[in-house]
Amino acid sequence: MEIARVIGNVWATKKDQKLNGLKLLVLKVLVDKEREKEGLIVASDIVGAGVGDLVLISKGGSARRAVGNIDAPIDAAVIGIVDSIEVFEDE
Amino acid sequence: MEIARVIGNVWATKKDQKLNGLKLLVLKVLVDKEREKEGLIVASDIVGAGVGDLVLISKGGSARRAVGNIDAPIDAAVIGIVDSIEVFEDE
Amino acid sequence: MEIARVIGNVWATKKDQKLNGLKLLVLKVLVDKEREKEGLIVASDIVGAGVGDLVLISKGGSARRAVGNIDAPIDAAVIGIVDSIEVFEDE
Amino acid sequence: MEIARVIGNVWATKKDQKLNGLKLLVLKVLVDKEREKEGLIVASDIVGAGVGDLVLISKGGSARRAVGNIDAPIDAAVIGIVDSIEVFEDE
Amino acid sequence: MEIARVIGNVWATKKDQKLNGLKLLVLKVLVDKEREKEGLIVASDIVGAGVGDLVLISKGGSARRAVGNIDAPIDAAVIGIVDSIEVFEDE
């Protein structure tokens, strides 16, 4: 999995009907506790995350398991809202 | 998923027959709302997207679910046409 | 999927028997219509592609579907020979 | 698989219930025996690894097999604690 | 698939029992016939490859098919020892 920050939302009316009812968040993946990686990820949210939240995302078939629909056409899902990260790095 | 811009089409006569009837678009993935990542992606289109459209793409097994054929030899699909993206980034 | 150029062949006698009979091509993925990405990809060919051809490749489980053998130990397959690519990019 | 160093832990209360009971470690992937790649990986731990340990991680569907639950929404798992690595590189 | 050079071995006693009996090699992926990409890959070996060998590796679910155990927690496998590579590149 990766740790990412929710930075927004994306809406699409013309879409695969199997996406109906799924909230789609825009995120940036953390490189470390201060910096974010270039690039946008869109993930389906199943835990009620919102803009600014630090979250856990899972990709591929695991994302389909997260939303409980193996036929969902999604390849990324928010699977948890991070309470805290404890990281020990050599100074 | 990723947000991408449709920049063209690709045609192939000699191909896996399981691709028959699938429209193949050429896309570039967005790095942020202004810039696109280097590299071309080809995705099967199921929502009627066209050149210039901003779309959602899904990859891997999820793409096969999007076209409703688990045996399709595709690994990327356009699953929605973006209406709007709302993004909040620290200035 | 990605667009790639066939640049050669690779042979292996000592191999997983489930590869028997599969032709293995060496390819480079296109970054845009003129340039190729660094790195070599090996893909199983099911459409009769040859050196110099521009082709469509599919990866992961989709590649196993392309060769029609879900147990094949391949993770990339050539699924079409490109006739033409039409690309519109802002100048 | 990749070789990674465990650098910490991450906790999430609001999460997919299928994550309950799974310990989540924060890791950095090795580039070679001395250096680590930029970026954080989160993986579910099934072998009792701790901060500072050098471990083997597996990704995608293989990670779900590691935790023995094909429906787990995880895409990375620690599958072994490295005893030793023997590497021969041209000087 | 990718072409890689075997550069060593890795051992782990505390590990997922489903790894028992699998030999784990350390490899570097080729960028072209002379250079290797930064980063270490660990793959399960099913063809008897050894240090210095040039091999074919397959990733993801395809690697599990290679070792003939769909529940193996591996995501990379050596599926062939390269006899020869024939590559034609524009000078």
Side-chain angles (χ1 to χ4, degrees):
Chain A
M1 291 71 82
E2 290 172 311
I3 303 171
R5 182 175 306 286
V6 180
I7 63 165
N9 297 272
V10 61
W11 291 273
T13 318
K14 273 185 84 179
K15 64 190 173 197
D16 184 325
Q17 298 312 300
K18 299 190 287 292
L19 288 174
N20 284 354
L22 292 181
K23 187 175 119 196
L24 299 177
L25 299 177
V26 182
L27 309 103
K28 294 190 92 168
V29 170
L30 260 59
V31 172
D32 54 40
K33 288 181 84 170
E34 277 75 42
R35 292 175 303 145
E36 287 151 9
K37 195 153 66 166
E38 266 215 332
L40 304 174
I41 302 268
V42 173
S44 169
D45 171 40
I46 64 160
V47 289
V51 172
D53 279 341
L54 215 52
V55 295
L56 278 176
I57 57 172
S58 197
K59 291 187 177 175
S62 307
R64 299 198 301 275
R65 265 78 183 190
V67 300
N69 174 4
I70 188 76
D71 286 323
I74 62 156
D75 65 9
V78 173
I79 60 170
I81 299 176
V82 171
D83 299 335
S84 63
I85 310 173
E86 177 198 62
V87 162
F88 305 87
E89 291 208 50
D90 318 333
E91 260 51 68
Chain B
M1 289 71 81
E2 291 172 309
I3 303 170
R5 183 175 306 286
V6 179
I7 63 165
N9 298 272
V10 61
W11 290 273
T13 318
K14 274 186 83 179
K15 63 189 173 196
D16 184 324
Q17 299 310 300
K18 301 191 285 294
L19 288 173
N20 284 354
L22 292 180
K23 188 175 116 193
L24 300 176
L25 299 177
V26 182
L27 308 102
K28 295 189 91 170
V29 170
L30 259 59
V31 171
D32 54 40
K33 287 181 84 170
E34 277 75 41
R35 290 174 306 145
E36 288 149 10
K37 195 155 61 165
E38 265 214 334
L40 304 174
I41 302 268
V42 173
S44 169
D45 170 40
I46 63 159
V47 289
V51 171
D53 280 341
L54 215 51
V55 296
L56 279 175
I57 56 172
S58 196
K59 289 186 177 174
S62 308
R64 300 199 302 274
R65 266 79 181 188
V67 302
N69 174 6
I70 189 76
D71 285 322
I74 62 157
D75 65 9
V78 172
I79 60 170
I81 299 175
V82 172
D83 299 335
S84 63
I85 311 173
E86 177 198 63
V87 161
F88 305 87
E89 291 209 49
D90 318 333
E91 260 49 70
Chain C
M1 288 74 80
E2 290 172 311
I3 302 170
R5 182 174 308 284
V6 179
I7 63 165
N9 298 271
V10 61
W11 291 273
T13 319
K14 273 186 84 179
K15 63 190 173 195
D16 184 322
Q17 297 312 301
K18 299 189 288 292
L19 288 173
N20 283 356
L22 293 181
K23 189 175 116 191
L24 300 176
L25 299 177
V26 182
L27 310 103
K28 295 189 92 170
V29 170
L30 259 59
V31 172
D32 54 39
K33 286 181 85 170
E34 277 76 41
R35 291 174 306 144
E36 288 151 8
K37 195 155 65 165
E38 264 214 334
L40 305 174
I41 302 268
V42 173
S44 169
D45 170 40
I46 63 160
V47 288
V51 172
D53 280 341
L54 215 50
V55 296
L56 278 175
I57 56 172
S58 195
K59 290 187 178 173
S62 308
R64 300 198 302 274
R65 266 78 183 192
V67 301
N69 173 5
I70 188 77
D71 286 322
I74 62 157
D75 65 9
V78 172
I79 59 170
I81 299 175
V82 172
D83 298 335
S84 62
I85 311 173
E86 178 197 62
V87 161
F88 304 88
E89 292 209 48
D90 319 331
E91 259 52 66
Chain D
M1 290 71 80
E2 290 172 311
I3 302 170
R5 183 173 307 283
V6 180
I7 63 165
N9 298 271
V10 61
W11 291 275
T13 319
K14 273 185 83 180
K15 63 191 172 195
D16 183 324
Q17 298 312 299
K18 300 190 287 292
L19 287 174
N20 284 353
L22 291 182
K23 186 175 121 195
L24 299 177
L25 299 177
V26 181
L27 309 103
K28 294 190 93 169
V29 169
L30 258 60
V31 172
D32 55 39
K33 286 181 85 169
E34 277 74 42
R35 292 174 305 145
E36 288 151 9
K37 196 155 63 168
E38 266 214 332
L40 304 175
I41 301 269
V42 173
S44 170
D45 170 40
I46 63 159
V47 288
V51 171
D53 281 341
L54 215 51
V55 295
L56 278 176
I57 57 172
S58 196
K59 291 186 176 176
S62 308
R64 301 198 300 275
R65 265 79 183 191
V67 300
N69 174 5
I70 189 78
D71 285 323
I74 62 155
D75 65 9
V78 173
I79 60 170
I81 300 176
V82 171
D83 299 335
S84 62
I85 311 173
E86 177 197 62
V87 161
F88 305 87
E89 292 209 48
D90 319 332
E91 261 48 66
Chain E
M1 290 71 81
E2 291 172 310
I3 302 170
R5 183 173 307 285
V6 180
I7 63 165
N9 298 272
V10 60
W11 290 274
T13 318
K14 274 186 84 179
K15 63 190 173 198
D16 184 323
Q17 297 312 300
K18 300 189 287 292
L19 287 174
N20 284 354
L22 292 181
K23 188 175 118 192
L24 299 177
L25 298 178
V26 182
L27 309 103
K28 296 190 93 169
V29 169
L30 259 59
V31 172
D32 54 39
K33 286 181 85 169
E34 278 74 41
R35 291 173 306 144
E36 289 151 8
K37 196 155 63 166
E38 265 214 333
L40 305 175
I41 302 269
V42 173
S44 170
D45 171 40
I46 62 159
V47 288
V51 172
D53 281 341
L54 214 51
V55 296
L56 279 175
I57 57 173
S58 196
K59 290 187 178 174
S62 308
R64 300 198 301 274
R65 266 77 182 189
V67 301
N69 173 5
I70 189 77
D71 286 323
I74 63 156
D75 65 8
V78 173
I79 59 169
I81 299 176
V82 171
D83 299 336
S84 62
I85 311 173
E86 177 198 62
V87 161
F88 305 88
E89 292 209 50
D90 319 331
E91 260 52 67

